[in-house]
Amino acid sequence: MPDIIQLLPDHIANQIAAGEVIQRPASAVKELLENAIDAGATDIQLIVTDAGKGMVQVIDNGRGMSPTDARMAFERHATSKIKTIEDLFSLRTMGFRGEALASIAAVAQVELKTRRAEDELGTFIRIENSVVVQQEPVQCPVGTSISMKNVFFNVPARRNFLKSNTTELRNIIDEFTRVAMAFPEVKFGLTSNGQQVFALEKGSLKQRIVQLLGSQYNAKLVPIKEDTDYLTISGFVGKPETARKTRGDQYFFINNRFIKSAYLNHAVTHAYEDLLSKDSYPSYVLFIQLDPQHVDINVHPTKQEIKFEDEKIVYAFVQAAIKHALAQFSIAPSLDFSLNADIQQLDAVSKPVTDDIENKTISSSLYQTFTQKNQAHKIEPGGGLKPLPTSPLGRHWIDAKQQTDEIKKAAQHAAGLSSPPAGELEGAWQSELAKLREQLFEVSPKTQYADLEYEMRPVSREKRFQWIPETPLMQVHFAYIIAITNHGYLLINQQGAHERILYEQLQKAIFGKPIATQQSLFPVSIELQPGDAVLLTELLPDMQQLGYQVEPFGQHSFVIHGTPADVDSGNEQKAVEQILEHYKNFNAEVKFSRREKLVRTLAWQQSIKAGRSLSDKEMRSLVEQLFLCTVPNTTPGGKPTYVEYPLDQLQRTFG
Ligand code: ADP
Ligand code: MG
């Protein structure tokens, strides 16, 4: 038998490596913009055609490259930014892996023009499939222009994997926004298919935020600025009234690098405590600067996740800084926070304080915030430590959940479904139990636990029970309705039931007669951030069919002319924002079509939620309509809409 292991040829190895770094045109945008920043550019222009599938080009006025460097730049692991592994921990550049240009050259046709100020002539290089097909001197301005054409032309499987142009353009705008936000001192432009989408003059961070996210933030930003010897925090948070139904405007930068961190996001949200309603998200643009040795940015191929040496201390600082700022602007009434016990153990907290550091620290307002409760640097070891406080909102949520769980348990118990004491679990009992479960939910056991309707079988029309319309209905805890049947009673989940009703109505409307629109007396205009604007544009035709009459108005603005009748006037903007947020966060293992996602989103959004008191008339109409549905027993998401408690079962329960 011959030996079978071979070394992969370079271009294939590069293509494989490219899979991590370049997943879509937007990934190339990020890498090229970051290279321009690293090259010290003060003017960076991004040009895309066909949502980047045709071309992505970045032109900068940075330091340029020598002819040899220009060639070297496309080799894998070729970088001018680090020389030793230690350099990784004192890094001040965006890039360091030396993979981006090699990856781009492996999956696209690339042209480079570059010149340094000291060179009279620049260099032109054309590369295809990792092979240099042309290199010659060229006249060009100082700086670098790199264009990537026909991405994945040589990897059709990946090209087919790309999403619609609107989606890919949205991704590009997101990446562009993240880089442009971090460098307000740099001029940026974005042109898509010949149309200028952004022209950002250099200016302050505040100006940049307003340019990128919209003028609704004007005069609504609270500045954050705290310096400590461990880290500094700066940036802005939105006043509570700018909180949005979408998670869109949340930006964290660590040493000017955009990162995603649910943990730090939690710190910010927490700082607002009950200034925000439960379903809204604070807007923020926050920059944390700290010594690069305290973070590891080499934990994720596109560097969007990082590891802090002391995650908890960053959390505490972020939270304190924001509380402090909100309080200063008389937005939050008090400065009440405590520190997690772990924080006290951290180096930065326990290390000796020199006079110099002490003086500097004492003068910072963050310090004063900390010492109001004699905490942080001044904590006596072992004394006065409390866990991080739970926000009132958090507590409510837990209470509500506990209550629901208890109600569920009680309900199951009443129906004889709670587990019998050990020892009694004889075979007969078990099969009885299983039968009962099925009967209760009228669905197959599989469906009972499935989240999605696609697995569900329709319920037979001849039901085992009938609701008796003449009997009284009763609402329980503003969430459930008790309805009497011919042999037992039903416990109906009001929100789930309404979602089912709306889902079936909207299903019909999207392919047939549109939902009636109620014209607004005063059309409401809304301004969205670019990514959301692209998404909404994509959804408009279907939304119109479902009763929303919304029209584009300028670049990222829309005017809401009408909504379905059950959206109260004054709530139009909130409704549209909720739709976008829910749509974007739609998580299902199954790929639904855009329409299906929209229908499900609207059914959820328009449904009456738990917590709403219902009149007798409303309850009656709800129950009536529920049983006119094709699949009355589950929500579109596959959860039960009601549980039946048959009389014979009740009798058995009570012996
Ligand atoms: P990295 O940024 O991780 O070093 P890249 O593959 O992105 O790796 O780039 C390789 C090298 O090419 C960089 O280290 C830099 O020296 C050079 N380079 C890339 N883009 C530019 C640019 N726009 N201007 C000047 N030099 C550049
Ligand atoms: Mg790079």
Side-chain angles (χ1 to χ4, degrees):
M1 286 287 272
D3 296 330
I4 51 174
I5 300 181
Q6 334 176 341
L7 220 55
L8 288 174
D10 263 1
H11 72 278
I12 297 185
N14 279 343
Q15 271 183 12
I16 293 171
E20 280 211 313
V21 189
I22 307 297
Q23 286 153 357
R24 46 181 18 95
S27 337
V29 165
K30 170 177 191 284
E31 296 295 337
L32 295 176
L33 291 177
E34 290 187 349
N35 278 349
I37 292 286
D38 285 346
T42 56
D43 182 347
I44 302 175
Q45 298 298 320
L46 167 63
I47 300 162
V48 300
T49 62
D50 215 4
K53 296 171 186 170
M55 181 187 76
V56 170
Q57 181 177 23
V58 172
I59 305 171
D60 71 52
N61 65 351
R63 66 179 71 91
M65 286 177 260
S66 74
T68 316
D69 281 352
R71 183 85 171 235
M72 268 301 279
F74 292 97
E75 295 293 327
R76 193 140 53 103
H77 311 307
T79 178
S80 56
K81 296 167 194 173
I82 59 169
K83 294 196 170 64
T84 68
I85 191 71
E86 284 76 41
D87 292 346
L88 258 190
F89 298 95
S90 56
L91 207 64
R92 297 278 170 197
T93 53
M94 307 297 286
F96 59 84
R97 291 169 167 250
E99 288 177 321
L101 291 187
S103 299
I104 291 173
V107 295
Q109 296 149 346
V110 176
E111 285 183 8
L112 164 75
K113 269 189 210 164
T114 186
R115 182 166 79 87
R116 300 182 299 178
E118 64 262 43
D119 300 333
E120 206 161 300
L121 276 183
T123 308
F124 173 80
I125 292 181
R126 196 154 62 82
I127 301 193
E128 221 166 82
N129 230 346
S130 300
V131 180
V132 178
V133 290
Q134 199 181 346
Q135 171 161 10
E136 57 196 35
V138 68
Q139 275 200 319
C140 63
V142 172
T144 303
S145 154
I146 300 187
S147 72
M148 171 189 92
K149 287 186 184 147
N150 301 319
V151 66
F152 302 135
F153 79 104
N154 53 353
V155 206
R158 310 209 65 191
R159 189 159 176 101
N160 295 338
F161 184 75
L162 294 178
K163 303 261 169 55
S164 71
N165 278 8
T166 34
T167 306
E168 294 298 347
L169 184 60
R170 183 150 37 98
N171 289 326
I172 288 176
I173 291 174
D174 283 349
E175 295 293 357
F176 175 88
T177 304
R178 290 163 185 176
V179 180
M181 187 87 85
F183 298 93
E185 68 283 6
V186 174
K187 179 177 169 181
F188 278 92
L190 165 55
T191 308
S192 162
N193 287 341
Q195 258 198 317
Q196 182 116 53
V197 183
F198 285 108
L200 310 172
E201 289 305 324
K202 67 176 194 171
S204 67
L205 174 61
K206 194 168 179 179
Q207 288 166 333
R208 185 57 55 97
I209 293 175
V210 172
Q211 284 173 322
L212 283 167
L213 303 183
S215 51
Q216 76 271 23
Y217 283 104
N218 238 336
K220 298 237 169 96
L221 295 171
V222 179
I224 306 285
K225 182 104 190 92
E226 298 288 354
D227 293 331
T228 70
D229 48 317
Y230 188 75
L231 51 72
T232 74
I233 302 174
S234 60
F236 292 91
V237 298
K239 291 188 180 165
E241 67 260 34
T242 66
R244 306 182 48 167
K245 300 296 157 203
T246 86
R247 212 182 265 281
D249 297 340
Q250 301 187 328
Y251 297 86
F252 252 116
F253 299 89
I254 308 296
N255 294 343
N256 283 1
R257 190 186 299 282
F258 173 84
I259 58 144
K260 290 183 177 155
S261 165
Y263 187 69
L264 292 186
N265 177 53
H266 186 265
V268 180
T269 312
H270 218 99
Y272 278 80
E273 289 202 5
D274 33 15
L275 291 173
L276 298 175
S277 66
K278 212 167 41 188
D279 53 350
S280 61
Y281 305 95
S283 308
Y284 55 82
V285 178
L286 291 171
F287 291 84
I288 294 175
Q289 311 285 347
L290 77 176
D291 189 328
Q293 71 182 8
H294 297 312
V295 276
D296 187 353
I297 43 184
N298 194 26
V299 295
H300 189 263
T302 64
K303 314 178 198 108
Q304 285 206 348
E305 283 161 30
I306 60 166
K307 248 175 89 178
F308 291 105
E309 182 186 65
D310 291 334
E311 197 176 41
K312 294 204 177 72
I313 204 165
V314 181
Y315 183 103
F317 279 148
V318 167
Q319 197 180 47
I322 291 169
K323 282 196 174 204
H324 176 238
L326 291 176
Q328 236 187 4
F329 281 75
S330 322
I331 292 165
S334 76
L335 284 174
D336 179 33
F337 73 97
S338 351
L339 277 177
N340 189 300
D342 297 335
I343 288 168
Q344 209 204 345
Q345 258 83 86
L346 300 174
D347 246 19
V349 176
S350 56
K351 77 181 172 193
V353 184
T354 63
D355 281 354
D356 187 36
I357 293 180
E358 172 139 16
N359 287 337
K360 233 169 56 194
T361 319
I362 286 178
S363 57
S364 94
S365 42
L366 181 64
Y367 170 84
Q368 282 151 18
T369 317
F370 268 90
T371 48
Q372 288 214 342
K373 296 230 147 188
N374 298 317
Q375 283 158 354
H377 287 72
K378 297 293 182 192
I379 299 173
E380 298 303 324
L385 297 176
K386 280 178 253 149
L388 287 168
T390 329
S391 82
L393 275 177
R395 225 174 291 131
H396 278 151
W397 184 80
I398 291 166
D399 287 353
K401 186 170 177 313
Q402 264 169 2
Q403 271 174 14
T404 330
D405 285 351
E406 271 158 27
I407 291 171
K408 265 194 220 148
K409 249 191 256 153
Q412 287 182 345
H413 184 77
L417 269 186
S418 60
S419 311
E424 273 181 48
L425 256 180
E426 307 302 327
W429 227 121
Q430 265 183 333
S431 68
E432 173 87 23
L433 209 67
K435 244 194 328 210
L436 199 68
R437 262 185 221 277
E438 250 192 71
Q439 206 183 327
L440 274 177
F441 292 104
E442 282 194 81
V443 287
S444 67
K446 192 177 172 200
T447 315
Q448 196 178 316
Y449 302 106
D451 278 329
L452 299 160
E453 188 171 44
Y454 73 107
E455 280 192 294
M456 214 176 58
R457 69 181 165 80
V459 182
S460 89
R461 296 302 289 167
E462 25 149 20
K463 298 188 198 71
R464 274 175 288 270
F465 62 82
Q466 256 178 346
W467 170 51
I468 310 176
E470 302 80 46
T471 55
L473 291 166
M474 182 181 156
Q475 197 185 19
V476 188
H477 288 284
F478 302 123
Y480 306 95
I481 299 168
I482 292 181
I484 313 292
T485 65
N486 51 346
H487 43 70
Y489 70 92
L490 300 175
L491 192 59
I492 301 173
N493 176 341
Q494 68 185 46
Q495 181 176 341
H498 196 212
E499 232 181 289
R500 158 57 59 189
I501 295 165
L502 289 166
Y503 175 73
E504 297 200 1
Q505 286 172 354
L506 294 167
Q507 277 278 350
K508 276 185 208 126
I510 200 146
F511 296 111
K513 194 163 157 272
I515 300 269
T517 299
Q518 175 185 274
Q519 296 291 329
S520 312
L521 277 180
F522 308 100
V524 182
S525 75
I526 51 169
E527 188 168 329
L528 298 175
Q529 57 149 313
D532 285 349
V534 172
L535 173 62
L536 183 57
T537 310
E538 195 176 341
L539 297 177
L540 283 186
D542 284 335
M543 282 182 61
Q544 174 126 25
Q545 188 77 10
L546 299 176
Y548 279 91
Q549 197 190 329
V550 180
E551 270 161 27
F553 181 74
Q555 224 169 32
H556 309 130
S557 304
F558 297 82
V559 177
I560 309 174
H561 292 286
T563 55
D566 44 359
V567 175
D568 295 336
S569 88
N571 272 346
E572 297 89 348
Q573 170 165 2
K574 185 172 162 213
V576 172
E577 285 179 353
Q578 263 185 348
I579 292 171
L580 292 176
E581 177 63 15
H582 197 260
Y583 186 95
K584 284 195 295 191
N585 291 337
F586 212 93
N587 66 331
E589 296 91 87
V590 178
K591 275 217 173 129
F592 290 120
S593 69
R594 188 180 64 202
R595 283 196 165 144
E596 179 70 17
K597 254 161 78 174
L598 184 65
V599 164
R600 283 167 183 251
T601 297
L602 288 186
W604 162 82
Q605 185 238 347
Q606 290 170 20
S607 63
I608 45 163
K609 306 294 184 293
R612 167 92 191 267
S613 146
L614 297 177
S615 70
D616 187 64
K617 208 170 135 208
E618 286 173 318
M619 285 193 279
R620 233 158 254 291
S621 131
L622 190 79
V623 179
E624 257 163 37
Q625 289 185 58
L626 179 64
F627 291 109
L628 290 175
C629 286
T630 326
V631 189
N633 60 324
T634 67
T635 67
K639 305 212 176 74
T641 49
Y642 59 80
V643 180
E644 192 208 357
Y645 297 98
L647 214 48
D648 51 353
Q649 193 49 51
L650 292 175
Q651 281 157 356
R652 220 173 318 157
T653 307
F654 293 105

